[in-house]
Amino acid sequence: MAQKEPLLHLIAGSAECCNTFGVTGITATRSFDALIAADQRIEPRDEMPDAYRAGLVRQIAQHAHSEIIGMQPEGAWISRAPSLRRKAILLAKVQDEAGHGLYLYAAAETLGVSRDELEGLLLTGRQKYSSIFNYPTLTWADIGVIGWLVDGAAIVNQVPLCRCSYGPYARAMIRICKEESFHQRQGYELLHTLAHGSPAQREMAQDAVDRWWYPSLAMFGPPDGESTHSAQSMKWGVKRFSNDELRQRFVDMCVPQAEVLGLTLPDPDLRWSEERGHHDFTPPDFDELMRVVKGDGPCNAQRMAHRRAAHDNGSWVREAAAAHAAK
Amino acid sequence: MTDVLALADDALVAAQRLAWWCSRAHDLEEDIALANIALDQLGAARLLLTYAGELEGAGRDEDALAYLRGPDEFRNCLLVELPDEDFAWAITRLLFLSAHQWLRYGELAAGPDPRLAEIAARAVKESAYHLDHARLWTKRLGDGTPESRRRMTAAVAGLWPFTLELVENRAAWLEIVDGALADATLERPADPADPPTGGRAGRHTPHLAALLEEMQSLHRAHPGVTW
Ligand SMILES: [Fe+2]
Ligand SMILES: [Fe+2]
């Protein structure tokens, strides 16, 4: 227990700033360094520096929390899905997100923390989840846009993690990325149907793109200049590309997809740069991101209240299951 | 068609209630399990509604039947439309419903209507799993803590009168349910003299109108479009 508290202390923090490590300068073992240098996977029984372990636990746990909290904005539309086919697709998607949370908590547990402890860190607000889920889902088109942009951004962020140096995390990400790309295609198809539907449906689709574009860009975290802890994470083979590189990749991917949809990305300065070989674009408002991270987003209180209510309302069930198992 | 609609509406309304639990259960495993059961119910409902529409021959598809009928046109039993007071209600309802569905689908799978037999053959396997899940939790909660026992007892007592509407296979149903209750050290309540009925004839509680209003709101706000 004496060792647990410092670990729990190290792993608290914000989700956007957490695909980085907050602690540096810990002496690593030789075999660890050799494995990293050879770009080989670290497995649970291998020796590893405390800071590597703590940073990974924090990143994986916050990723898991994001999956769990992410069930809510879309879950809110399951009951109102406008066709039975869409209802089934959406319910299966939200169920997948719960599964992602499970795989990730299991990966974190291989590093010596329990799921109960990690859930405790979420419920007490000591660990964060991705701020994108603090925005509301106002219309049905938001379900399409979340699939297209939010799952899309998650994929761009997460595909490099399939090659992450920590084996259990990398393997969980391979499984998760397959499902996320399925979600993205379904969201895109939903949005395509709306964009080619009635004028009201089309308007709903454009409005949703307008509201979700910049929050999606913010999912990649602060600009590289302000992301102070990335270097260690890169060196340890957890993070493979910088926030700005991934954000650029995402923008370049979305532009042609928006054209096929016939929808406009809400950035008047978005244009192709021959010189850079990339699209120029307006960055998201990072001050807003930091405000939302700190708890001041439109839905922070609602998301946490929902999670705590589920946890509290379920305590008698968990107690009963434990009591029965003990009989 | 009435018979098919009864099965379809039971499954559809049950799916709507079960899906509510996704993100609200006591742990992630149960979020996933209840979503699974909701997806099975929804899948069966879609096949049955499509078939009911074909039998009717008026060109109504699954969505026309799900979204454009009013409460008095629904043929589900009252049991499925009642709101869940807590997880004990959800589990007790699932026990009562899945025992009924398992028996009905089993019969129809061997019945004379080949189309219905095909749908039922698949659904009966799913019902067996739903019934197992409900039995397992009935046992854990009935024979868990004093609080879980109190809640299960209340749920069984609260829902029991509504099971008298499930008239087919009552004897076989009682055998299954009695076994599950005994296993959970719970007692079977007495049958009320004047049990609530009417679901199969389209006479519902106000809970169904509220459920449908939410479920149908978006579809009805945009008549005739494709989703
Ligand atoms: Fe996910
Ligand atoms: Fe997803």
Side-chain angles (χ1 to χ4, degrees):
Chain A
M1 213 49 216
Q3 282 180 328
K4 280 275 167 60
E5 266 313 304
L7 180 58
L8 291 184
H9 174 72
L10 287 175
I11 62 188
S14 88
E16 276 72 14
C17 313
C18 84
N19 31 5
T20 58
F21 293 92
V23 179
T24 55
I26 308 283
T27 313
T29 64
R30 182 181 302 255
S31 64
F32 174 83
D33 286 341
L35 285 168
I36 293 290
D39 207 10
Q40 304 237 310
R41 294 271 163 85
I42 308 296
E43 295 298 334
R45 274 178 224 164
D46 293 330
E47 284 183 50
M48 61 188 90
D50 290 347
Y52 177 83
R53 183 187 298 274
L56 267 175
V57 169
R58 187 177 61 178
Q59 177 171 337
I60 298 171
Q62 290 179 343
H63 188 168
H65 303 331
S66 301
E67 301 282 359
I68 302 311
I69 298 290
M71 294 168 72
Q72 293 179 37
E74 291 186 277
W77 282 90
I78 294 171
S79 66
R80 292 171 287 173
S83 74
L84 296 185
R85 174 175 161 260
R86 294 289 180 201
K87 189 192 286 290
I89 291 173
L90 182 58
L91 177 54
K93 180 189 171 178
V94 175
Q95 185 194 34
D96 282 349
E97 306 302 1
H100 297 173
L102 268 187
Y103 307 156
L104 287 162
Y105 283 130
E109 283 184 317
T110 64
L111 291 158
V113 281
S114 74
R115 194 166 124 197
D116 280 354
E117 286 171 316
L118 297 175
E119 286 175 342
L121 288 171
L122 171 64
L123 292 170
T124 55
R126 287 173 70 197
Q127 277 188 339
K128 305 293 185 198
Y129 52 87
S130 178
S131 284
I132 192 76
F133 300 120
N134 287 321
Y135 292 88
T137 40
L138 300 180
T139 72
W140 173 250
D142 291 30
I143 301 307
V145 172
I146 288 178
W148 176 39
L149 295 179
V150 176
D151 284 273
I155 292 165
V156 170
N157 254 331
Q158 292 169 15
V159 163
L161 290 172
C162 299
R163 294 191 295 118
C164 148
S165 59
Y166 188 58
Y169 191 25
R171 288 188 288 275
M173 289 319 305
I174 290 169
R175 212 165 148 187
I176 289 172
C177 280
K178 267 188 204 150
E179 293 182 356
E180 300 298 11
S181 60
F182 205 58
H183 297 166
Q184 197 205 11
R185 279 205 300 278
Q186 288 169 333
Y188 189 79
E189 193 256 326
L190 190 168
L191 201 58
H192 193 274
T193 305
L194 294 181
H196 294 81
S198 71
Q201 285 176 308
R202 203 189 140 67
E203 201 178 302
M204 200 190 280
Q206 182 62 56
D207 168 66
V209 172
D210 292 349
R211 283 181 290 109
W212 288 92
W213 174 248
Y214 286 107
S216 301
L217 292 185
M219 284 175 71
F220 297 93
D224 293 348
E226 292 165 36
S227 183
T228 45
H229 303 306
S230 286
Q232 184 66 73
S233 183
M234 292 264 210
K235 208 179 113 200
W236 275 337
V238 177
K239 200 170 165 59
R240 302 275 180 182
F241 300 96
S242 77
N243 294 353
D244 286 334
E245 283 173 316
L246 293 171
R247 192 169 7 248
Q248 181 71 62
R249 188 178 292 181
F250 176 69
V251 172
D252 291 340
M253 183 185 91
C254 289
V255 170
Q257 292 174 347
E259 273 167 32
V260 175
L261 289 171
L263 297 173
T264 310
L265 297 173
D267 180 358
D269 297 324
L270 182 66
R271 63 178 60 86
W272 178 254
S273 159
E274 278 300 341
E275 194 190 326
R276 294 199 308 120
H278 290 292
H279 292 88
D280 291 337
F281 63 95
T282 307
D285 178 351
F286 292 109
D287 293 338
E288 176 182 316
L289 172 64
M290 292 325 291
R291 282 197 302 277
V292 179
V293 166
K294 293 205 172 92
D296 210 11
C299 298
N300 295 57
Q302 184 188 335
R303 300 289 181 243
M304 288 305 293
H306 182 116
R307 195 63 243 141
R308 287 194 192 109
H311 187 264
D312 294 348
N313 293 338
S315 60
W316 70 271
V317 180
R318 291 189 298 274
E319 283 160 17
H324 184 263
K327 282 187 184 176
Chain B
M1 182 195 169
T2 320
D3 202 31
V4 180
L5 263 189
L7 287 163
D9 291 345
D10 281 357
L12 179 59
V13 175
Q16 188 78 355
R17 287 284 182 225
L18 284 161
W20 179 87
W21 283 94
C22 194
S23 83
R24 292 183 176 88
H26 65 274
D27 68 13
L28 286 173
E29 284 81 353
E30 196 60 20
D31 275 337
I32 292 172
L34 292 181
N36 243 333
I37 297 173
L39 281 165
D40 286 346
Q41 296 282 356
L42 184 55
R46 293 179 64 191
L47 295 171
L48 290 163
L49 285 173
T50 300
Y51 185 40
E54 288 170 24
L55 288 173
E56 183 191 43
R60 292 203 280 184
D61 64 8
E62 59 176 43
D63 286 337
L65 286 169
Y67 291 95
L68 300 175
R69 280 182 302 156
D72 53 351
E73 295 168 272
F74 271 73
R75 293 290 174 266
N76 60 276
C77 60
L78 302 180
L79 175 72
V80 292
E81 70 197 42
L82 304 173
D84 289 323
E85 304 277 328
D86 62 14
F87 184 65
W89 283 67
I91 288 302
T92 303
R93 188 225 308 275
L94 185 64
L95 174 69
F96 294 165
L97 175 69
S98 59
H100 171 72
Q101 288 177 321
W102 184 72
L103 290 166
R104 288 291 288 137
Y105 289 139
E107 254 173 16
L108 293 166
D113 179 336
R115 180 72 180 281
L116 203 48
E118 192 189 323
I119 298 172
R122 185 178 127 180
V124 72
K125 290 182 201 143
E126 296 167 350
S127 295
Y129 159 73
H130 306 169
L131 183 55
D132 271 354
H133 190 76
R135 268 189 187 130
L136 186 71
W137 274 109
T138 299
K139 190 171 152 112
R140 281 179 184 152
L141 299 179
D143 191 19
T145 61
E147 182 180 7
S148 70
R149 184 177 177 76
R150 177 180 63 71
R151 287 176 183 265
M152 268 317 271
T153 306
V156 170
L159 290 170
W160 189 262
F162 295 91
T163 65
L164 281 117
E165 199 178 8
L166 308 173
V167 288
E168 308 99 338
N169 310 307
R170 180 80 183 172
W173 183 89
L174 276 175
E175 203 172 309
I176 296 171
V177 170
D178 276 344
L181 293 179
D183 210 20
T185 68
L186 294 166
E187 272 171 42
R188 184 219 287 191
D191 291 352
D194 191 14
T197 58
R200 301 294 187 216
R203 293 190 307 277
H204 292 279
T205 67
H207 302 300
L208 181 67
L211 178 145
L212 293 180
E213 193 182 319
E214 183 182 22
M215 187 181 98
Q216 297 174 338
S217 57
L218 175 59
H219 184 97
R220 288 189 177 214
H222 299 264
V225 303
T226 303
W227 295 103

